[in-house]
Amino acid sequence: MGFADLLEEVGGFGRYQWLHVTLISLPGLMMASQNLLNNFVSGIPAHHCSLRANHSFYNLSHHQVPCRNLTDVIGCFRYWTLLAANSSANISQLHTEGCVDGWTFDRSEFLATTVSEWDLVCSLRPLKQMIQTIYMGGVLTGAIIYGGLSDRFGRRSVLIWSYLQLGVLGCSSALSPTYSAYCIFRFLSGMAVSGVILNGVSLKVEWIPTKARTLVGTLTSFFFTFGQMILAGLAYWLRDWRKLQLVVCAPQFLFFAYSWWYSESARWLVLNRRSEDALKNLHRVARINGKPEMINKLTLEVLNSHMNKEIESSRSSFTAYDLLRTRGMRRISICLIVVWFSTSFAYYGLAMDLQKFGVSIYLMQIIFGAVDFPAKLLALGMLTYLGRRVSQATCLFLSAFIIFANIFVPTDMQTIRTTLACLGKGFTSASFTTVYLYTGELYPTVIRQTGMGFVSTMARVGSMAAPAVLILDEVLPALPSIVYGGAAVLAGCFACFLPETLNVPLPDTIEDEGMVSANDIGMVSQGDIALKELKETEGTGLNAL
């Protein structure tokens, strides 16, 4: 008997779980906007060198005519010919100089971006990608900090705070007077995004019965998919980076307002010596689910008897160092680190440079969002019938195959290249869906958030490294694809060494995972060892590797 049995007794996946999962998933509509916002907020408009303030193109003398048709593709130089304005000249005969009078930006695609506001072009162009790197650095920092804090103070408290932080700092970034101030606000917003995503996933998983986890985990990921398409619509409608920034962050105040309705994880409460609060939450869930008779039947004694083993185990404190020190946990953590890194690395390598495809950036964003639907439905079927391990490895191998295939497609066949890129992005998205669910199932309740925060930090490292790899195309155009695809292949191999969790009860203690021996932690009772051996003989798959 365990907590999974208690969830079934108070209604299983009933009315409360539907409301709970839906309300926690709604912010996902805006989380996709946060992660991909730089595509539009820092879009690079067409631009060329500005003329001198006291001249126009038509009143320049014949020996000072700027040959705009010869301006290079990024508008970093201007050329002056000694011929008449309507004459032609070989570029080798022209005098060049930098854009000493600034740049003129085309306003047909973007009304205003951070690039046009702070002239992040030419020598300052790396600062455009630096915004995304700094934001992902904040997401990385948030994963480390908020993962540990939520194991100490609870999922609900940290989630509520993260909504408020993202709302305040996200809206403040829309008012940034300087580039530096904007980067600081984006870094702090990234921290809050980690708090929202990690704690939202855990709070959902810990209130969902075992059999419903696959379906719910996959379906709720569609909120992120819809969010990508919503971002394209908002960006097309607003066209101004400050307005777009404000609109995608303001809804966080609504999420903050209704998040007080959430119930704290009863699992976490029991394991932190707050059984009375856990009992109140279980009574509340039973009442909402239409099981009022369970209020009298479910007492502290019943609750503690169901979770006695978990309570005993939780008296030991485990840190990230302990995750790596024990043999089984070390294997799982290392495999998950590689999977998280490579999935994020390939995903953002494809998704963060939409302007390179030669198609409207707004249309590309919609296409990139729409391709997630069939990919995630495929992932749902695989997760349900093939299990987590096979699904994770297959998604990574398929994404790598498509990325490699794109190398051999000629650059003039833009439609085929774009189609393959969309398919590759779809499989990396399916891999993200799988790894979020998989990680939550692999780590036990006592260290679930610490574990998720620990391994997901590598996803943030991957997202920070992905833009830098794009520079390698100056050495060899195919090199970025080789790096992205190679990382996906490596991660697929590591995924094969993870234990299967399909239809396995959510673990509450490290002993439940079968990841350590009695010598590893020095406190496993003979009864626990016997239970573990029984699970092995029954083929639960927890000790398959």
Side-chain angles (χ1 to χ4, degrees):
M1 298 288 284
F3 187 78
D5 301 293
L6 288 178
L7 282 181
E8 293 296 339
E9 291 179 10
V10 297
F13 195 81
R15 187 182 301 116
Y16 173 82
Q17 277 74 15
W18 277 108
L19 289 171
H20 179 78
V21 167
T22 301
L23 292 177
I24 292 180
S25 299
L26 279 175
L29 295 173
M30 295 294 106
M31 291 304 103
S33 296
Q34 293 293 332
N35 289 339
L36 301 175
L37 192 60
N38 207 52
N39 276 334
F40 302 98
V41 167
S42 299
I44 303 177
H47 54 282
H48 59 78
C49 296
S50 298
L51 300 177
R52 295 189 178 97
N54 59 344
H55 290 86
S56 70
F57 180 77
Y58 297 103
N59 64 15
L60 291 173
S61 62
H62 71 280
H63 62 282
Q64 290 181 315
V65 176
C67 299
R68 290 185 180 180
N69 60 315
L70 295 178
T71 302
D72 66 0
V73 293
I74 57 174
C76 293
F77 302 97
R78 59 184 180 185
Y79 302 90
W80 301 91
T81 180
L82 299 178
L83 303 177
N86 57 358
S87 299
S88 61
N90 187 285
I91 193 170
S92 62
Q93 301 174 316
L94 304 179
H95 170 67
T96 64
E97 64 179 357
C99 297
V100 294
D101 297 305
W103 291 265
T104 297
F105 293 91
D106 180 75
R107 293 166 60 88
S108 61
E109 189 171 27
F110 305 103
L111 291 179
T113 69
T114 59
V115 171
S116 62
E117 178 149 345
W118 294 311
D119 291 338
L120 305 182
V121 293
C122 300
S123 62
L124 296 181
R125 193 174 186 181
L127 294 182
K128 181 255 188 185
Q129 290 296 349
M130 184 62 66
I131 294 174
Q132 183 69 11
T133 300
I134 290 173
Y135 165 77
M136 286 300 177
V139 177
L140 168 62
T141 304
I144 298 172
I145 294 176
Y146 289 143
L149 287 179
S150 61
D151 275 336
R152 182 175 180 181
F153 298 106
R155 287 76 161 107
R156 177 178 177 271
S157 300
V158 177
L159 181 59
I160 291 173
W161 168 258
S162 298
Y163 287 144
L164 181 61
Q165 178 179 334
L166 183 55
V168 172
L169 297 176
C171 291
S172 297
S173 62
L175 306 175
S176 301
T178 64
Y179 172 83
S180 298
Y182 182 69
C183 287
I184 292 173
F185 283 129
R186 286 297 287 163
F187 178 86
L188 296 174
S189 297
M191 290 182 61
V193 168
S194 266
V196 171
I197 293 177
L198 290 177
N199 288 283
V201 169
S202 285
L203 203 56
K204 281 188 292 187
V205 166
E206 292 175 5
W207 275 112
I208 298 174
T210 302
K211 294 181 179 180
R213 289 202 308 259
T214 301
L215 179 63
V216 173
T218 305
L219 292 181
T220 54
S221 70
F222 283 113
F223 283 86
F224 288 84
T225 300
F226 279 115
Q228 296 178 51
M229 304 174 76
I230 290 174
L231 173 62
L234 290 174
Y236 182 81
W237 172 45
L238 296 172
R239 306 285 183 116
D240 183 281
W241 76 270
R242 293 187 185 272
K243 293 178 181 178
L244 180 60
Q245 182 80 49
L246 187 64
V247 167
V248 299
C249 293
Q252 301 302 322
F253 293 108
L254 172 62
F255 305 142
F256 168 77
Y258 73 61
S259 62
W260 295 90
W261 180 85
Y262 299 156
S263 292
E264 180 58 87
S265 168
R267 294 174 183 268
W268 180 86
L269 289 170
V270 171
L271 297 176
N272 283 270
R273 313 296 186 276
R274 294 172 58 183
S275 296
E276 294 83 0
D277 293 331
L279 186 63
K280 291 179 182 178
N281 286 349
L282 285 169
H283 286 172
R284 179 180 181 229
V285 171
R287 187 169 54 252
I288 296 175
N289 282 344
K291 297 280 186 177
E293 68 278 4
M294 289 303 303
I295 295 177
N296 293 328
K297 293 181 181 179
L298 186 56
T299 63
L300 278 176
E301 291 74 16
V302 173
L303 177 61
N304 290 332
S305 66
H306 275 70
M307 301 194 66
N308 181 63
K309 182 163 66 72
E310 292 87 340
I311 294 172
E312 288 296 323
S313 177
S314 67
R315 291 174 182 170
S316 291
S317 176
F318 294 92
T319 64
Y321 173 74
D322 294 305
L323 294 182
L324 295 176
R325 188 173 61 180
T326 57
R327 183 178 61 183
M329 190 75 79
R330 180 168 60 246
R331 183 191 72 240
I332 286 177
S333 296
I334 290 174
C335 290
L336 286 175
I337 283 173
V338 177
V339 171
W340 276 89
F341 173 87
S342 299
T343 298
S344 182
F345 185 62
Y347 180 92
Y348 286 102
L350 293 169
M352 287 307 303
D353 195 18
L354 299 184
Q355 287 184 284
K356 70 181 179 182
F357 293 104
V359 182
S360 168
I361 188 173
Y362 307 105
L363 178 60
M364 279 303 305
Q365 184 62 67
I366 291 176
I367 294 173
F368 263 35
V371 75
D372 283 3
F373 286 101
K376 289 184 176 181
L377 288 174
L378 175 63
L380 174 59
M382 294 173 63
L383 286 168
T384 302
Y385 297 105
L386 300 179
R388 278 63 161 144
R389 179 170 51 196
V390 173
S391 299
Q392 188 73 73
T394 301
C395 288
L396 287 165
F397 285 136
L398 286 175
S399 64
F401 174 78
I402 293 172
I403 291 173
F404 286 142
N406 218 356
I407 297 175
F408 302 99
V409 179
T411 54
D412 58 338
M413 301 178 69
Q414 200 65 46
T415 301
I416 296 178
R417 291 180 60 85
T418 301
T419 301
L420 289 176
C422 290
L423 290 175
K425 190 263 184 184
F427 283 114
T428 57
S429 181
S431 179
F432 253 134
T433 301
T434 304
V435 75
Y436 266 111
L437 176 63
Y438 205 1
T439 304
E441 293 180 338
L442 284 169
Y443 284 117
T445 302
V446 290
I447 52 170
R448 180 165 294 119
Q449 281 302 88
T450 299
M452 287 192 70
F454 178 68
V455 298
S456 66
T457 55
M458 293 308 298
R460 316 313 165 197
V461 175
S463 61
M464 293 169 66
V469 174
L470 295 174
I471 301 175
L472 297 176
D473 65 356
E474 298 179 3
V475 179
L476 179 66
L479 200 53
S481 296
I482 294 174
V483 175
Y484 294 138
V489 169
L490 180 65
C493 294
F494 272 81
C496 294
F497 292 94
L498 289 168
E500 183 55 66
T501 60
L502 178 63
N503 294 327
V504 174
L506 200 65
D508 287 308
T509 69
I510 291 182
E511 296 84 63
D512 286 343
E513 277 290 7
M515 290 183 282
V516 294
S517 65
N519 292 331
D520 284 326
I521 61 174
M523 60 172 293
V524 182
S525 67
Q526 291 300 317
D528 291 335
I529 295 174
L531 177 62
K532 185 166 63 176
E533 292 174 347
L534 177 62
K535 288 181 177 180
E536 290 174 349
T537 59
E538 290 176 349
T540 59
L542 291 174
N543 296 293
L545 297 174

